[in-house]
Structures are given as structure tokens and as C-alpha cells.
Amino acid sequence: MQQPCWYTGYALLFYAWGRSGMMRSRRVLFLVEMAIFSAIAVLLDIIPFLSFKLWAQGGSVSFSMVPVLIMAFRWGLKGGLTSGFLLGLYQILLGNAFLVTPVQTFLDYIVAFTLIGLAGLTSAQVAAAAHKNRVKRMVTGIIIGCFIGSLFRFLSHFTAGIVFYGNFAPPGQPVWLYSLIYNGGYMLPDFILSAVLVGLLFVNRPMLVQRK
């Protein structure tokens, strides 16, 4: 028997209202998590016993990338890129940045930390693997994502090092080699540390990437 038009209309109305409410809830959750995780990232970078500074001109091994990577795997590119951008911006505003010129500041903090969020490129793979309880596939996606985010952050620092820090290079050493050693010296352990911690976190709490 065909349903009355009014019944169908009300059904569609309640469905649309429910979908709208879910979308609003997701937006609120995203904004809350973004604010919390970006703030945690800053704290992890400035608390002395949680951050080991290697060079006087900036560059340290810390846990600061971990919250950004978590957002990237939970929310994809928008979560990772936005959280990374806020991390870089907060470092400048809090006076925790080594500033030479506006362009260097933009490359070393805004661009570099935003690019960590490119780890979100593998978020769909990580979420699908977590849903199917495929731990190895999930860990592989996490490692690849962490590598992508770390690599592009490194490239931004590397470029800034060549352009703006050439006067710090030892006599006779090519500027590109100085920048490679300088930035690779903290980015490699940063990548390894972050990949291990994020991998362990999601292996033990795979529901973190299963967004509803």
C-alpha cells in the first residue's frame, strides 16, 4: 500500500534534521579536539624535560608532532593541516620561535608545522585497517603517514636553512650540507619517536581512528 505524502514528508524532514544535528556535533567535536591537541603540542615542545634542544638556532627533539599526527589520522588532512598550522602560529606568538626574517619565519614555523598534517593522506587506509582489525596494515599506514608529514616538514626547514642560515655553516662546508645535517639531526629522531608513539597508541586504542 502506498504511503501518504504527508508521512513521507515528515520522514524526510526528521532524517534531514538528524543528519544536520550529526554534522553540527562533528563540527563541534572537530573544533574542540583541534584546540586541545594543538595546545598540547605546544606544551610538549616547551616543557623542558619533554623537549631536548639540539641547536641554538632552533630545532629540538620533542613529542610536539604527536598531537598533530593524531589529528591527522583521526580527521584526515583538515585535522592535521589545521592543527599543524596552529602549532606553528602558537610558537611564534609565545616567543618560542627563532626569527630571522618574515619569510624565514613563515617557512620554519607556519609552512613547516602545517605540512606535518600531510600525514592525513593515509588516514583512510589507517581507519579502514583499524575497522577490520588489520594491525600490520594500520601500522604501515601510520608509519607512511608519519614519514610523509616529517619529510615535508624537513624540506621546509631544509630550504629555510639554505636560504637564511648560510652564515652559520662552518668554513668550507657547503650550505646545503650544513642545512641537511642541522635539520636532519633533529628531524630523523623526531620522526622515529613520533611514529613509534602514535603507532603504539593506535594499536592499543584502534577506536581512536574509527570516527562515527
Side-chain angles (χ1 to χ4, degrees):
M1 181 176 179
Q2 188 176 5
Q3 296 289 349
C5 292
W6 64 267
Y7 181 89
T8 304
Y10 275 117
L12 290 173
L13 180 62
F14 277 112
Y15 174 77
W17 180 81
R19 292 281 294 177
S20 176
M22 289 175 61
M23 290 178 65
R24 284 195 298 271
S25 297
R26 281 178 58 80
R27 281 196 295 268
V28 171
L29 178 61
F30 171 72
L31 292 173
V32 170
E33 289 190 8
M34 182 178 62
I36 292 174
F37 279 94
S38 58
I40 292 174
V42 175
L43 290 175
L44 291 175
D45 197 49
I46 64 177
I47 295 176
F49 61 88
L50 293 178
S51 177
F52 179 68
K53 197 168 204 177
L54 293 179
W55 312 112
Q57 292 80 37
S60 60
V61 178
S62 72
F63 300 97
S64 63
M65 289 206 304
V66 172
V68 178
L69 293 168
I70 292 173
M71 284 295 292
F73 293 125
R74 277 183 59 75
W75 293 98
L77 287 174
K78 69 173 182 179
L81 295 173
T82 306
S83 299
F85 169 80
L86 290 175
L87 170 58
L89 182 63
Y90 290 160
Q91 287 189 325
I92 296 172
L93 296 177
L94 293 173
N96 195 41
F98 185 82
L99 311 180
V100 179
T101 70
V103 178
Q104 170 269 332
T105 301
F106 184 70
L107 279 175
D108 261 340
Y109 293 93
I110 301 300
V111 175
F113 287 100
T114 299
L115 290 177
I116 299 171
L118 289 177
L121 289 170
T122 64
S123 61
Q125 173 187 337
V126 172
H131 180 69
K132 296 177 182 178
N133 200 28
R134 295 181 178 177
V135 177
K136 289 184 179 179
R137 183 174 176 82
M138 181 178 68
V139 171
T140 300
I142 289 172
I143 293 173
I144 293 173
C146 290
F147 178 76
I148 292 172
S150 300
L151 174 63
F152 278 90
R153 177 191 168 187
F154 163 77
L155 290 175
S156 187
H157 291 312
F158 178 67
T159 302
I162 292 175
V163 177
F164 299 102
Y165 294 93
N167 58 311
F168 291 104
Q173 186 179 73
V175 175
W176 68 266
L177 180 59
Y178 169 75
S179 184
L180 178 67
I181 295 173
Y182 184 102
N183 293 292
Y186 65 87
M187 279 306 308
L188 180 59
D190 236 18
F191 156 65
I192 295 173
L193 178 65
S194 299
V196 170
L197 290 178
V198 175
L200 289 173
L201 175 65
F202 284 126
V203 165
N204 287 281
R205 293 291 184 273
M207 72 287 296
L208 290 175
V209 292
Q210 296 181 37
R211 303 188 308 276
K212 301 299 182 183

